[in-house]
Structures are given as C-alpha cells and as structure tokens.
Amino acid sequence: MELLKNHVAGQWVAGQGEGTALHDPVTGEALVAVSSAGLDLGAAFAFAREQGGAALRALSYGERAALLTRVGEVLTANRDAYYEIATRNSGTVKSDSAVDIDGAIYTLGQYARWGAKLGEARLLLDGEPVALAKDNAFASQHVMTPTRGVALFINAFNFPAWGLWEKAAPALLSGVPVIVKPATATAWLTQRMVADVVAAGILPPGALSVVCGSSAGLLDQLQGEDVLSFTGSADTAAIIRSHPAVVKHSVRVNIEADSLNSALLLPVAEGSEALSLFAREVAREMTVKSGQKCTAIRRAFVPRALYTAAAELIAAQLRKTVVGNPRDESVRMGALVSLEQKRHVEEGLAVLQSEAVLLHDGRLQALVGADAGSACVAPVLLGCEQPVMATRVHDTEVFGPMATLMPYDDLAQAQALVRRGAGSLACSLYGDDPAALAACATELADLHGRVHVVTPAVAKLHTGHGNVMPQSLHGGPGRAGGGEELGGLRALNFYHRRSALQAAPEVLAALGPATQL
Ligand code: NAP
C-alpha cells in the first residue's frame, strides 16, 4: 500500500513505519497509508517561517491574490482526480463531493478576486489617522501587518478540500505560510491537492506544507507569532486550548467545534409555502454529506399545531433518499466517513432516543450496492414532544443523517429552546412575515455566527441553511468554539496584527502603498 509523503521544509518526506491505513467506507478496502512519525517538525516550522513567510511578505496583496488564482486553476485542472479520491475515501456521491471540492475552488476564487482589489498595497490601514495633538501635528494611525509566524491548521475529516482552502486562501493572501494537518481518515485528498499545487511551482518554497498522520509534537512547535486554527470536536478543542505552548506563548487560536444548529418555523398557516420550504431544508440538511456537516440542522422547531404536518412532509422527502454505494447512479446519499463514525452515530442516536421517538427510520429501507458491514447509515428523523423538559436533544451532536423535530407553544419559548444550543454556527428561520422574521433574527443573532432567513420570495435564491459562503462569517460563539472565519476580507484579521502608529503626518504619509481593509 502506498505511504503518502509529507511535505515539510520544502521536501517530500515519508514518515517512519508502515503508517495508518485510510479506508473506503463502503467496501472496507485499505487505500493508502499515512505517517508523520520521525519528521523534523522544528525544521519544518522554521523553514515555513523563515523562507515561506519572508517570500510571501515580499509580494503585494495583489501579487499574492494572483498566486491564489493560479492555485485555483491547478485545482480545477485536477478536479476529476479529487472526485475519484472523494468517492473512494469519503464515500460521497458526486453532489456531496462537489460541496467540498468545488466549494474549495469557489472560495479560493473569491479570495483571489477580493485580494486583487487590494492591488499594489503592502500595508493595510484600519481607519483614518486620529489627532493626538493640536492641528494634527501628531496622530495615531492603526495599521495591520501580517504576523511573521506560521498558520497551523488542524482539520476535521468531513471537508478535506474546503477545510484546507477556506483557511489557506486568506492566510496566503495575508502573506502567512501554512502547515496543514488533515484529519487522518480523509487525509488523502488534502495531501493530493497540496502535491498538485507544489508540483505546479506556484507558491514559494515553505508557503504550503502538509503533515499527514498523528498530530504528536505539532503544537509543541508553536511560538508567539504563529496562529492555530482547529476544526473538530469540542473535546479535542479543549485539549488544544490548554496546550502548554498555546498558553505560554499566547498563540492566537481559532476554534470551530461542534454545534447543535437549529431551524425554526415561525407561526404560519397550515399549507403555507414557508412550511414546505422548512421541511425541504430540514431533509436536505440531514442528507447532504450524510449529515456530516458542522452546520447541519440538528434541531428543528415548529408551532405545535404544525408538528404532525411537518413530520409528514420531512419524512416524505427522506423516503426519496436512496442510500448506498456512491458509484451507483441511483444512490443519492453515500456513506459516513468510517465505521468508527458509524459507531459514534449509533451511540449518539441511542442517547437521543432516551428523550425522542422515531418519526422516520430510513434504516428500514434497503441499502443499494452496499451491505450492513459498510459505513452507510440511512436518515433518521426523531421527534421530541416536550422539548422544554428534555436535555440531551439540546446538547448531543450526532454527526450523521439525523435531526430532532420539536413543537413549541409560543415564539418566546421557541427562541429559548433555540438558545439551549448554547452557541451555534447557524440558525435558519422560515416564515412569511418580514417584521416577525427580522425581530426573531436579531433576537437570536448574538448566539449564532449566521442567521439564515428563508421566505417564499427567496425560495429558489437562498444559498441553503448549511452552505458556508465565503462572503459570510463562519463560526459561532460558546459551544461552537468561539471562532470566526471567512466573511470576505474580514478573514484577513486573524492573520494580521493591529498596531497603532503614533507619528507626525509626514511620517504617516511616507508609509508606502497602503489601503483600507
Ligand atoms: P476530532 O476527533 O476532534 O479531530 C479533529 C482533528 O484534530 C483531526 O485532525 C485529529 O487528527 C486532530 N486531533 C485529534 N486529537 C488531537 C490532539 N490531542 N491534539 C491535536 N490534534 C488532535 O474531530 P473529528 O471527529 O475529526 O471531526 C468531527 C467534529 O468536527 C464534529 O463534532 C463537527 O461538528 C466538527 N466540525 C466543525 C466544523 C466547524 O467549522 N465548526 C467543521 C467541521 C467539523 P486525527 O484525525 O489524526 O485523529
């Protein structure tokens, strides 16, 4: 079996030993192996900081944006190979692989376009000079300069492509080199993309490194100018936050953790289009990427009078979902990423069933082209009629094709129930009264990175509850990790340091090519 190499200090290096095998979650076939054992991580970080960072910072924002365009072209040229890897290693159908692969290419393209507008600038300004003395003879100008460390990404298994590029695009545009450690289960796609970009010779040596396999020793390398982005479970996030190097050097950390995202149908008449839009979106969110999306709807709330109707509409959508081997044309939903995840999902489902009943159990339908030994799991809709009394449905994230439908008695109660997610990435609202929707959105905004409002007017236009658009913020407070990503050029903040330059106007005027962020 091929052992995938790591790219560190500008070299391709094999880790020691046989490595850990990556599997096809449908057939069980062992595909490739990864190992990070024995790598000289000290040299890898030093090379990235000293060579990669310096070379990137020698360019203007516009020049770095042009590199992103070329990276996007290389990824586009190799798209077919990425789809093939995704089918084999992630067990996803084409449309689900697209969310990851084409989502990555689209996000890169956006940052290339936004970066091009920064043009020849080599310095970002934050606001105008503010007088500190009479007649502006001495003033304060806030500036943003790229940090001179490394951006280390420790990523989750569910987005091996997008998870790299949605972070790497703003980092590289900022002039900060990247070291990515993909989740082991799906590291192949990340490694292959890095290999294609490195082979194309677009980025300066040291600008992009990949470490596949164990994360052992990576965090020990962190220094005060480095930044760390982590995406994964809340348990691992807690370990990372308290790592001695992070604490000692005040390393800037961005955490994207798990999230009990909600969908809330405001009071509407039975038969309202808003109810159908709600049901369609809940079913879609449960099945896209087999529910393995950090933004997926886990809790769905409806007025009590519409509970049965909503359950029937969602179940009707789910019945159309053919589950099985993604290579079969009739299959609409592939596998979970691994048998381990299948076990986690089954355990999580049992926890939820202590408070909820089955409203739709897709597991009663046969799998297509896959057997019970595969990591395929059909969608399950649960119902909990007394959500105020329940606890587990509000605190247990089951990372698979499941959601819990719950009735509420009045809108204040519904909002209180949504807030029991304790901080989420996304919440979607459905209704036909703009004023009520706007009031509800502002009521819930403080606890959500994104509030997505669906009215009949945007039925065909809206971007989807769970789709992360680079134009909008991604992240969420509290349980969701407290992180912020994307949101257009706001993403550059994480990779820059803000500093106040206090000087005479003639000094400030000599700062060179600069632009407002
Ligand atoms: P995980 O087990 O926490 O792993 C995430 C990453 O951390 C992997 O690369 C993993 O490496 C690494 N890791 C594990 N233990 C570590 C340690 N002690 N020190 C440093 N790194 C360590 O999470 P997962 O199961 O892969 O991902 C699923 C979770 O991610 C879900 O809860 C989901 O909600 C969340 N998620 C959130 C977002 C978001 O944007 N908010 C996006 C996607 C997923 P190995 O793979 O080698 O163990």
Side-chain angles (χ1 to χ4, degrees):
M1 194 181 355
E2 184 192 354
L3 179 65
L4 298 181
K5 287 187 175 160
N6 305 283
H7 189 66
V8 287
Q11 308 286 328
W12 286 103
V13 188
Q16 290 168 353
E18 285 180 7
T20 306
L22 278 55
H23 292 93
D24 182 323
V26 178
T27 65
E29 181 194 357
L31 301 168
V32 290
V34 293
S35 166
S36 60
L39 295 182
D40 185 347
L41 295 175
F45 276 70
F47 187 86
R49 281 184 202 108
E50 289 156 22
Q51 309 278 322
L56 286 169
R57 288 194 308 275
L59 304 173
S60 67
Y61 286 91
E63 286 166 337
R64 293 194 292 264
L67 297 183
L68 296 187
T69 302
R70 290 173 58 201
V71 169
E73 285 164 4
V74 168
L75 299 183
T76 304
N78 290 287
R79 247 172 108 246
D80 290 351
Y82 306 150
Y83 273 79
E84 173 73 19
I85 292 173
T87 305
R88 296 180 71 193
N89 191 197
S90 291
T92 38
V93 293
K94 266 208 178 107
S95 55
D96 287 350
S97 304
V99 178
D100 188 29
I101 297 165
D102 293 337
I105 295 172
Y106 171 72
T107 302
L108 255 171
Q110 285 301 324
Y111 277 95
R113 272 187 283 284
W114 293 326
K117 290 194 184 137
L118 300 175
E120 292 310 302
R122 286 164 190 275
L123 182 69
L124 296 179
L125 304 176
D126 175 12
E128 301 294 334
V130 178
L132 296 175
K134 244 196 198 165
D135 303 329
N136 256 349
F138 190 64
S140 173
Q141 167 71 62
H142 286 87
V143 300
M144 310 271 288
T145 51
T147 189
R148 298 195 177 191
V150 163
L152 172 64
F153 304 156
I154 298 187
N155 283 354
F157 65 77
N158 54 342
F159 282 102
W162 177 83
L164 164 60
W165 295 109
E166 60 106 10
K167 295 178 177 75
L172 295 170
L173 180 58
S174 298
V176 178
V178 166
I179 297 179
V180 59
K181 203 278 305 168
T184 297
T186 57
W188 192 9
L189 180 52
T190 308
Q191 196 269 1
R192 174 60 192 267
M193 287 180 142
V194 172
D196 289 340
V197 171
V198 168
I202 298 165
L203 297 171
L208 182 60
S209 308
V210 62
V211 174
C212 300
S214 164
S215 57
L218 273 177
L219 298 176
D220 298 329
Q221 299 302 327
L222 291 172
Q223 298 178 2
E225 289 188 284
D226 298 328
V227 297
L228 168 63
S229 283
F230 169 78
T231 304
S233 64
D235 289 347
T236 313
I239 296 172
I240 284 187
R241 256 187 227 291
S242 54
H243 188 279
V246 171
V247 175
K248 181 173 174 199
H249 301 298
S250 306
V251 174
R252 187 181 278 178
V253 179
N254 191 74
I255 302 238
E256 300 288 342
D258 55 18
S259 178
L260 273 292
N261 312 293
S262 310
L264 168 58
L265 175 67
L266 271 67
V268 291
E270 190 155 356
S272 145
E273 193 185 343
L275 171 59
S276 322
L277 291 169
F278 167 87
R280 209 177 310 150
E281 199 62 10
V282 172
R284 209 164 67 87
E285 283 292 308
M286 288 172 67
T287 52
V288 171
K289 282 184 75 63
S290 303
Q292 299 171 111
K293 256 165 56 257
C294 49
T295 50
I297 296 169
R298 307 289 176 202
R299 302 179 303 142
F301 299 98
V302 290
R304 198 169 284 279
L306 297 177
Y307 180 64
T308 308
E312 279 166 10
L313 283 171
I314 299 168
Q317 294 283 333
L318 295 177
R319 273 193 288 276
K320 296 184 208 155
T321 309
V322 179
V323 184
N325 191 328
R327 295 161 185 89
D328 189 300
E329 287 290 316
S330 69
V331 166
R332 291 284 161 271
M333 189 177 101
L336 294 179
V337 75
S338 64
L339 289 174
E340 191 193 353
Q341 278 305 309
K342 182 178 173 181
R343 187 169 49 76
H344 284 314
V345 163
E346 283 164 354
E347 286 167 4
L349 191 56
V351 171
L352 295 184
Q353 283 187 270
S354 64
E355 293 178 343
V357 296
L358 290 166
L359 294 178
H360 169 82
D361 190 354
R363 295 169 300 177
L364 303 174
Q365 292 168 238
L367 297 173
V368 173
D371 58 33
S374 71
C376 295
V377 174
V380 173
L381 179 68
L382 297 169
C384 173
E385 291 200 40
Q386 299 302 332
V388 175
M389 314 292 289
T391 56
R392 305 319 309 267
V393 292
H394 302 296
D395 72 9
T396 307
E397 184 205 42
V398 179
F399 209 57
M402 343 244 124
T404 307
L405 183 69
M406 296 174 252
Y408 65 83
D409 299 311
D410 57 56
L411 199 51
Q413 185 192 69
Q415 288 167 349
L417 287 167
V418 168
R419 296 185 76 87
R420 286 181 63 185
S424 300
L425 298 170
C427 168
S428 52
L429 307 178
Y430 305 77
D432 42 30
D433 176 347
L437 287 161
C440 190
T442 28
E443 185 64 28
L444 294 172
D446 65 297
L447 218 46
H448 296 87
R450 185 161 55 81
V451 181
H452 181 84
V453 183
V454 179
T455 49
V458 297
K460 294 205 168 68
L461 297 175
H462 78 95
T463 45
H465 163 106
N467 279 348
V468 176
M469 304 302 293
Q471 294 83 350
S472 295
L473 186 79
H474 174 58
R479 173 163 184 152
E484 282 196 358
E485 291 178 348
L486 300 172
L489 288 174
R490 286 177 189 83
L492 271 57
N493 278 316
F494 184 65
Y495 303 99
H496 285 74
R497 298 286 168 178
R498 185 178 285 108
S499 187
L501 298 189
Q502 301 182 165
E506 50 274 26
V507 176
L508 296 180
L511 282 175
T515 185
Q516 293 284 346
L517 179 59

